[in-house]
């Protein structure tokens, strides 16, 4: 989320606004930026990442203005249809802000059945009756925290006199109001009479004089939220269906997407509201079951054992991808999942060290090795960063001590010496927490550093420092320094820091990077003279010794039992709503907002942040964490934490993304508990019975198998099949390069002379081995490609437009139909 520009001015005297932006799936808010004060061109620079836990039609971005009374008013929105996300994939785009009103804010779908039948009245006049059955709706929006929906049904036509319509549009028929649900079941039928002149003839029901007029008639269904407010009920969406299509068959039943009301689009110029710069990266993986991936996965997992490693499938992926990062992300996740990351990184690092000529340039390029190590540190070292840096980064962000040491940038009233002292204290504290944190460094990182150190020391035996610089170039330059510089990218802060804090963090990061680099003449590293002067504070031997001790500790293999580190690590915290557990016999079981906190030791809640916990559940007492069916309390995004003696804590998260995050992380930390349950109740125990299975005893064992959780280590927080699917997609995308590489292997094995120019971009140490691997890759990718094509053809044959999965009005499905019709001759 980049920035907004040219927002409309505030009507008050200062004209400026305090704005924030939200990210929404349809109308459900899943993220919110910080507030940027006093600006009409606010800069956010914030990144959000989430797995999308449900279907959606629009990814929407709303800009709000917070006024002096802390009321928020909407300025405008950008709504991107799901099927258009690919158009903007991974590139900065400016979007015009659109107006927001109740009539344009629509989500959800409705299930209808229409039946047109002939009736002969007592007087012998033939008329047509239209029966409209409103079955149910799904996914309606929650308005002001509630949804009490009802539907109105109207038959409308262009000229009532000709058609003798009995129903006036104003006499809409109305369903009952369904309380507290956004998935209401109505199942109500409404009848409308369509009477015609007596010139009836037997040829067909519809052979009438005013056929054109009947064609112009339409049935209209409007959804409303029954509001207690005096402003009237809120519009939730509508559907207009011409009766014309009922001429082919007299009954029709389908799902439809609700549409916004056509309110003659207000005549506002599109550039009234300013614009928003976004970069959206949207990926969709279609993953088969595990056995489909076996051939390709086996070739990839053998990579660490292939001699030379440049002939392995993983190395080849790095060679053909446009950017090494593309290959590194799925490779690291796959190898971590199967516990093969250390041998794989050791093999590629060893090969890179052998190709390096100068010890000072070791691991400095953007090679596959450095990108894979970066990615491993990001995944395995997230908790390590939290426990090491988060407390002091939080303090820097909150206290705002002046730390500017560039004389040119000093503000009025600031003292250079004071600022230097503030900065020196911060650097000292951060340096100390880092160099004392060796024992907390994750085992997998230590094992990788051990192999880097061994490779470097063996290759450059004359350089005694190389075993340190090989490790420090990762842990300081590519792990701690970037996390200090951009804490929001490493989940150390929720938002991008303000400019002053950002400047302080930049100065700290530069100094820490230099302290960790162990280069001979440190002050010469700085282009700025004020930094060189500042650095003199740290030109003492004790700093170099502390770095070396720290690097020795984190790069020595098998040095300790990881479980002996007993400090609690904060994993997640935030406000949620919980239901009282009803421990008192006559206490009210009501819902209350509480501050929840999860560490690797316990799950607690308190009245507000920093208070004494009201309840603490040790991690070993969490027996299962599962979603709770909405019907239980008519509330969305609920889950349950099940404890011994079947005690259950019911919790509601703020949105679907938060709910998924909490369920995932609670499941992950409690996965290794010995007494984990295998079955649970998906609904609550209310009014003397379980809503799901109707059992009356509250200690009845569950009626549904628990979902497969994720163990407590990083290794299984990853879906190995999904990562293999990603790698297949990359190989498929770069197939021309794989074929070029095959040609290069052939050329190299035949001609031992100078290689052809076009093939010199690939590293090929052993043409024969590389060719063998390439053949296996191309076969594996070809097989998977056929499987995908066959699956699409089968799905296409089975899919029905107007079904619950593909309601009428689903543009992405219509696009899909078009593509399939071009590929295959099947008609829908």
């Amino acid at each position: 989320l980049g920035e907004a520009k040219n927002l409309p001015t505030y009507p008050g005297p200062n004209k400026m606004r305090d704005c924030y932006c939200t990210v929404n799936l349809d109308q459900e808010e899943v993220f919110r930026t910080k507030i940027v004060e006093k600006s009409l061109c606010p800069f956010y620079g914030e990144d959000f990442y989430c797995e999308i836990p449900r279907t959606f039609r629009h990814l929407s971005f709303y800009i709000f203005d917070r006024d002096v009374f802390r009321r928020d008013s909407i300025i405008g929105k950008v709504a991107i249809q799901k099927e258009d996300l690919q158009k903007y994939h991974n590139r900065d785009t400016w979007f015009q802000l659109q107006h927001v009103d109740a009539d344009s804010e629509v989500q959800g779908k409705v299930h209808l059945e229409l039946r047109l039948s002939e009736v002969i009245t007592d007087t012998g006049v033939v008329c047509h009756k239209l029966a409209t059955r409103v079955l149910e709706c799904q996914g309606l929006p929650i308005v002001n925290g509630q949804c009490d929906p009802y539907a109105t049904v109207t038959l409308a036509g262009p000229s009532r006199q000709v058609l003798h319509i009995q129903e006036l549009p104003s006499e809409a028929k109305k369903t009952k109001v369904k309380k507290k649900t956004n998935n209401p079941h109505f199942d109500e039928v409404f009848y409308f009479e369509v009477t015609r002149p007596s010139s009836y003839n037997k040829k067909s029901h519809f052979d009438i004089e005013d056929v054109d007029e009947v064609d112009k008639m339409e049935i209209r269904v409007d959804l409303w939220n029954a509001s207690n407010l005096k402003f009237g009920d809120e519009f939730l969406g509508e559907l207009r269906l011409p009766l014309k299509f009922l001429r082919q068959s007299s009954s029709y039943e389908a799902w439809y997407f609700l549409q916004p009301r056509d309110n003659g689009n207000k005549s506002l110029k599109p550039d009234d509201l300013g614009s928003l710069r976004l970069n959206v990266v949207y990926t969709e993986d279609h993953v088969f079951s595990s056995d489909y991936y076996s051939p390709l996965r086996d070739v990839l997992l053998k990579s660490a054992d292939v001699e030379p490693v440049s002939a392995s499938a993983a190395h080849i992926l790095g060679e053909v991808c446009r950017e090494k990062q593309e290959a590194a992300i799925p490779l690291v996740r796959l190898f971590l999942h199967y516990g093969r990351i250390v041998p794989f990184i050791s093999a590629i690092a060893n090969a890179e060290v052998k190709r390096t000529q100068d010890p000072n340039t070791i691991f400095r390029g953007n090679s596959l090795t450095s990108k894979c190590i970066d990615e491993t540190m990001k995944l395995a070292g997230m908790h390590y960063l939290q426990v090491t840096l988060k407390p002091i980064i939080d303090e820097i962000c909150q206290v705002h001590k002046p730390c500017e040491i560039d004389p040119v940038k000093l503000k009025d009233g600031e003292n250079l010496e004071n600022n230097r002292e503030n900065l020196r204290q911060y650097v000292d504290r951060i340096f100390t927490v880092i160099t004392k944190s060796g024992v907390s460094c994750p085992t997998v990182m230590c094992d990788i550093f051990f192999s880097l150190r061994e490779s470097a020391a063996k290759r450059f035996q004359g350089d005694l420092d190389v075993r340190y610089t090989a490790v420090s170039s990762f842990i300081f330059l590519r792990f701690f320094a970037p996390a200090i510089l951009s804490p929001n990218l490493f989940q150390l802060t929720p938002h991008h820091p303000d400019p002053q804090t950002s400047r302080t963090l930049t100065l700290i990061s530069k100094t820490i990077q230099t302290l960790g680099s162990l280069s001979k003449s440190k002050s010469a590293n700085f282009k700025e003279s004020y930094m060189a002067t500042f650095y003199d504070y740290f030109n003492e031997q004790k700093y170099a010794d502390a770095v070396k001790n720290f690097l020795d500790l984190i790069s020595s293999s098998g040095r300790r039992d990881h479980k002996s580190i007993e400090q609690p690590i904060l994993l997640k915290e935030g406000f949620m709503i919980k239901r009282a557990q009803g421990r008192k016999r006559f206490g009210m079981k009501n819902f209350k907002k509480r501050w929840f906190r999860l560490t690797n030791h316990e799950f607690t809640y308190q009245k507000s942040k920093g208070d004494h916990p009201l309840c603490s559940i040790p991690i070993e007492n969490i027996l299962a964490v599962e979603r709770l069916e909405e019907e239980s309390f008519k509330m969305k995004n609920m889950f349950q934490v099940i404890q011994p003696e079947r005690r259950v804590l019911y919790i509601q998260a703020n949105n679907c993304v938060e709910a998924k995050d909490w369920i995932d992380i609670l499941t992950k930390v409690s996965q290794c508990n010995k007494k984990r349950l295998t079955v649970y109740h998906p609904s609550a125990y209310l009014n003397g019975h379980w809503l799901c299975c109707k059992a009356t005893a509250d200690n009845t064992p569950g009626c549904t198998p628990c979902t497969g959780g994720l163990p407590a280590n990083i290794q299984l927080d990853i879906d190995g099949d999904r990562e293999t699917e990603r790698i297949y997609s990359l190989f498929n995308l770069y197939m021309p390069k794989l074929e070029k590489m095959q040609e290069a292997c052939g050329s190299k094995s035949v001609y031992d002379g100078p290689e052809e120019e076009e093939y010199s971009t690939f590293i090929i140490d052993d043409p024969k081995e590389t060719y063998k691997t390439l053949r296996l890759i191309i076969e594996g990718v070809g097989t998977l490609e056929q499987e995908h094509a066959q699956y699409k053809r089968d799905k296409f044959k089975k899919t029905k437009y107007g079904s619950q999965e593909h309601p009428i009005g689903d543009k992405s499905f219509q696009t899909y139909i078009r593509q399939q019709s071009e590929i295959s001759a099947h008609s829908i």
Side-chain angles (χ1 to χ4, degrees):
L1 235 157
E3 60 192 305
K5 68 177 182 191
N6 304 334
L7 297 179
T9 54
Y10 188 70
N14 66 2
K15 299 198 179 329
M16 291 295 154
R17 291 181 182 271
D18 299 343
C19 295
Y20 64 90
C21 188
T22 67
V23 184
N24 297 51
L25 294 176
D26 297 319
Q27 289 163 60
E28 182 180 10
E29 181 185 317
V30 291
F31 291 119
R32 178 180 289 212
T33 66
K34 63 174 184 289
I35 296 175
V36 175
E37 295 183 343
K38 301 185 181 60
S39 172
L40 297 178
C41 296
F43 176 81
Y44 298 106
E46 297 197 29
D47 292 276
F48 300 109
Y49 169 82
C50 76
E51 293 277 330
I52 297 177
R54 63 172 180 84
T55 54
F56 68 103
R57 282 163 74 186
H58 292 92
L59 180 65
S60 305
F61 302 84
Y62 291 80
I63 290 203
F64 288 87
D65 178 23
R66 171 155 289 187
D67 70 12
V68 283
F69 303 110
R70 292 201 156 271
R71 285 193 308 248
D72 302 343
S73 54
I74 293 186
I75 295 175
K77 72 167 177 181
V78 169
I80 309 172
Q81 287 189 332
K82 181 183 175 184
E83 54 274 17
D84 291 339
L85 285 169
Q86 221 44 47
K87 276 190 217 165
Y88 308 108
H89 181 74
N90 203 10
R91 61 167 207 258
D92 274 17
T93 312
W94 283 99
F95 292 90
Q96 287 289 344
L97 287 168
Q98 305 296 320
H99 282 273
V100 178
D101 57 39
D103 293 340
S104 68
E105 292 286 275
V106 164
Q107 67 179 56
K109 52 193 175 183
V110 59
H111 189 188
L112 287 189
E113 188 180 338
L114 301 176
R115 190 179 295 277
L116 197 54
S117 46
E118 273 181 4
V119 181
I120 300 179
T121 62
D122 300 343
T123 57
V125 176
V126 175
C127 66
H128 279 111
K129 262 198 171 170
L130 175 69
T132 304
R133 184 176 177 206
V134 184
L135 289 133
E136 61 179 310
C137 292
Q138 278 190 350
L140 297 176
I142 304 236
V143 186
N144 301 327
Q146 59 137 31
C147 191
D148 298 340
Y150 68 90
T152 60
V153 186
T154 318
L155 181 67
S159 147
R160 220 181 121 259
Q161 294 74 14
V162 180
L163 289 162
H164 312 294
I165 297 178
Q166 301 303 303
E167 290 297 323
L168 282 166
S170 56
E171 294 168 0
K173 301 194 174 186
K174 185 176 158 184
T175 66
K176 293 188 179 74
V177 174
K178 298 291 176 183
K179 290 280 186 187
K180 289 189 181 170
T181 174
N182 61 343
N183 298 320
H185 283 262
F186 296 113
D187 204 359
E188 294 188 40
V189 186
F190 303 103
Y191 295 98
F192 298 92
E193 280 188 6
V194 184
T195 316
R196 302 165 313 147
S198 52
S199 60
Y200 171 62
N201 81 40
K202 287 261 185 242
K203 275 191 287 181
S204 133
H205 312 344
F206 303 105
D207 190 3
I208 54 174
E209 293 166 350
D210 296 305
V211 138
D212 291 347
E213 295 294 338
V214 172
D215 282 357
K216 288 177 190 163
M217 291 175 69
E218 64 178 19
I219 193 85
R220 195 171 123 194
V221 180
D222 291 81
L223 265 293
W224 299 87
N225 180 31
S227 165
N228 318 331
L229 304 172
K230 55 178 180 289
F231 310 119
D233 296 348
E234 287 113 343
F235 172 76
L236 300 179
E238 71 169 18
L239 181 64
R240 294 175 174 224
L241 293 175
L243 292 195
K244 186 158 57 175
F245 72 90
L246 278 175
R247 287 172 59 189
Q248 279 80 40
S249 92
S250 59
S251 92
Y252 195 82
E253 176 253 337
W255 283 87
Y256 296 87
F257 272 134
L258 288 166
Q259 302 299 335
R261 185 151 52 190
D262 178 22
N263 55 352
N265 293 336
K266 314 225 183 1
S267 56
L268 285 153
K269 296 203 290 294
D271 56 356
D272 284 356
L273 299 177
S275 48
L276 182 64
R277 179 167 64 85
L278 301 168
N279 186 331
V280 179
V281 177
Y282 175 69
T283 52
E284 213 174 74
D285 297 313
H286 298 267
V287 187
F288 288 124
S289 56
S290 214
D291 44 333
Y292 284 88
Y293 297 106
S294 294
L296 184 59
R297 185 175 51 231
D298 294 347
V299 179
L300 286 160
L301 290 175
K302 284 189 189 123
S303 293
D305 310 320
V306 173
E307 279 288 334
V309 75
S310 61
S312 69
H315 196 280
I316 288 170
L317 181 67
E319 288 295 288
V320 295
C321 280
R322 199 161 51 98
E323 291 183 7
K324 300 278 189 250
Q325 181 82 354
E326 261 184 316
I329 293 173
L331 283 174
V332 163
R333 296 174 73 90
L334 182 74
F335 285 116
L336 265 172
H337 179 66
Y338 287 102
R340 302 281 296 144
I341 192 71
V342 178
F344 168 64
I345 286 183
S346 302
I348 56 172
N350 205 13
E352 186 177 323
V353 170
K354 282 180 183 161
R355 286 194 293 272
T356 306
Q357 299 308 315
D358 177 358
N360 293 318
T361 62
I362 197 162
F363 300 127
R364 286 299 164 92
N366 279 329
S367 60
L368 183 65
T369 310
S370 53
K371 289 294 180 194
C372 283
I373 296 175
D374 286 354
E375 201 51 39
T376 307
M377 293 193 301
K378 231 182 206 172
L379 286 167
M382 206 52 98
H383 291 164
Y384 177 35
L385 276 179
Q386 296 270 338
V387 78
T388 311
L389 293 181
K390 189 168 168 44
I392 189 162
I393 298 268
D394 283 347
E395 184 189 320
I396 293 168
C397 291
Q398 283 156 15
V399 178
H400 287 108
K401 275 188 190 171
C403 294
E404 182 53 74
I405 55 168
D406 180 352
V408 181
K409 292 186 179 170
L410 277 189
K411 289 184 186 155
D412 291 346
E414 280 187 358
N415 177 307
L416 188 60
E417 278 312 306
N418 287 352
N419 288 9
R420 259 197 208 132
E421 182 53 24
N422 289 340
L423 185 64
R424 191 191 65 74
Q425 285 180 8
Y426 277 148
V427 170
D428 235 347
R429 283 173 60 194
I430 285 188
F431 179 79
T432 307
V433 294
I434 290 174
T435 50
K436 292 268 170 67
S437 71
V439 73
S440 312
C441 185
T443 314
V444 69
M445 284 167 63
C446 296
D447 293 343
I448 288 169
F449 296 149
F450 174 70
S451 78
L452 297 182
R453 171 191 177 129
E454 295 294 292
S455 290
K458 201 166 161 189
R459 170 84 173 89
F460 301 105
Q461 289 174 4
D463 188 326
L464 293 178
D465 273 345
V466 74
R467 57 193 197 166
Y468 293 118
T469 51
V471 177
S472 73
S473 63
F474 285 104
I475 192 79
F476 281 102
L477 271 63
R478 304 176 84 116
F479 185 65
F480 283 121
I484 296 164
L485 186 65
S486 307
N488 53 310
L489 298 185
F490 291 81
Q491 293 166 25
L492 294 172
T493 58
H495 301 301
H496 191 72
D498 61 80
Q500 184 191 326
T501 308
S502 219
R503 174 70 180 153
T504 302
L505 294 173
T506 304
L507 295 169
I508 297 171
S509 176
K510 276 184 173 184
T511 317
I512 291 291
Q513 196 168 324
T514 311
L515 273 168
S517 70
L518 288 171
S519 55
K520 309 288 182 289
S521 58
K522 302 265 179 96
S523 299
N525 276 5
F526 296 108
K527 296 196 254 327
E528 312 94 335
S529 56
Y530 63 84
M531 281 304 292
T533 318
F534 174 67
Y535 195 79
D536 287 341
Y537 286 128
F538 303 97
N539 239 339
E540 293 177 40
Q541 191 55 39
K542 66 171 186 180
Y543 289 101
D545 292 345
V547 170
K548 284 185 175 176
N549 288 340
F550 169 65
L551 295 173
D552 275 333
L553 179 58
I554 63 170
S555 61
S556 57
S557 194
R559 70 230 162 290
R560 62 171 204 281
D561 170 22
H562 197 63
K563 291 198 174 63
S564 65
I565 309 150
E566 270 307 301
Q567 74 238 63
I569 299 171
L570 176 65
L571 303 176
K572 191 169 173 63
E573 59 181 347
F575 275 114
M576 290 192 287
I577 290 168
K578 62 155 272 286
R579 181 177 189 254
Q581 290 180 282
R583 291 188 191 145
K584 300 193 184 104
R585 197 158 171 200
F586 300 108
M588 280 285 287
K589 294 188 183 180
N590 53 356
F591 286 89
K592 289 204 166 75
K593 191 173 181 178
R594 292 288 180 255
W595 180 262
F596 282 83
R597 206 164 177 276
L598 174 67
T599 70
N600 53 344
H601 292 187
E602 59 180 359
F603 181 46
T604 60
Y605 61 78
Q606 48 230 50
K607 259 195 174 157
S608 37
K609 191 175 180 175
D611 287 0
H612 189 71
L614 299 170
C615 167
S616 165
I617 303 170
I619 294 299
E620 57 272 21
N621 281 0
I622 297 178
L623 307 187
V625 183
E626 297 287 348
R627 290 188 179 285
L628 185 70
E629 283 176 0
E630 209 176 298
E631 290 309 305
S632 301
F633 300 107
K634 304 277 193 226
M635 288 162 75
K636 284 173 80 68
N637 305 321
M638 287 202 70
F639 63 94
Q640 48 183 322
V641 177
I642 305 169
Q643 304 161 64
E645 279 117 44
R646 309 244 166 232
R647 286 230 319 280
V648 186
L649 177 61
Y650 296 121
I651 303 172
Q652 183 188 34
N654 300 318
N655 57 56
C656 58
V657 170
E658 276 283 287
K660 182 180 186 300
D661 280 355
W662 275 105
I663 293 169
D664 284 354
I665 197 159
L666 279 162
T667 305
K668 201 191 305 175
V669 294
S670 61
Q671 182 65 36
C672 297
N673 291 347
K674 293 189 176 65
K675 295 180 181 167
R676 272 190 73 84
L677 297 178
T678 51
V679 287
Y680 77 107
H681 291 285
S683 284
Y685 182 78
L686 292 173
N687 307 328
H689 67 274
W690 290 99
L691 297 181
C692 40
C693 56
K694 304 292 181 271
T696 50
D698 64 352
N699 59 355
T700 309
C703 56
T704 306
C706 286
T707 48
L710 307 159
N713 59 9
I714 173 101
Q715 189 173 338
L716 288 149
D717 185 13
I718 292 166
D719 181 339
D721 300 329
R722 180 175 174 176
E723 300 310 325
T724 316
E725 170 63 33
R726 282 256 165 100
I727 293 170
Y728 146 76
S729 302
L730 287 170
F731 274 138
N732 203 18
L733 178 65
Y734 293 112
M735 188 53 79
K737 279 197 178 176
L738 287 171
E739 287 161 355
K740 193 99 175 192
M741 205 169 175
Q742 264 192 328
E743 287 171 29
C745 289
S747 156
K748 281 197 167 197
S749 354
V750 179
Y751 306 109
D752 226 8
E755 57 187 318
E756 288 186 38
E757 191 63 34
E758 58 178 322
Y759 300 144
S760 61
T761 49
F762 303 117
I763 293 175
I764 299 173
D765 296 322
D766 183 331
K768 264 192 182 158
E769 277 298 313
T770 310
Y771 189 89
K772 267 194 224 165
T773 309
L774 280 161
R775 207 179 62 234
L776 290 171
I777 292 169
I778 292 168
E779 274 172 22
V781 169
T783 311
L784 276 168
E785 200 178 355
Q786 284 169 359
E787 295 290 356
H788 276 290
Q790 186 57 48
Y791 176 81
K792 280 182 182 165
R793 283 196 294 273
D794 294 347
K795 186 170 181 241
F796 180 71
K797 284 185 209 169
K798 289 176 196 155
T799 304
K800 178 173 173 264
Y801 193 36
S803 63
Q804 194 170 349
E805 296 76 39
H806 300 289
I808 294 172
D810 180 352
K811 291 213 175 75
S812 59
F813 182 63
Q814 286 168 308
T815 315
Y816 169 70
I817 300 267
R818 241 192 342 272
Q819 289 165 350
Q820 293 303 314
S821 311
E822 287 158 17
I823 299 166
S824 85
H826 298 296
S827 62
I828 188 153

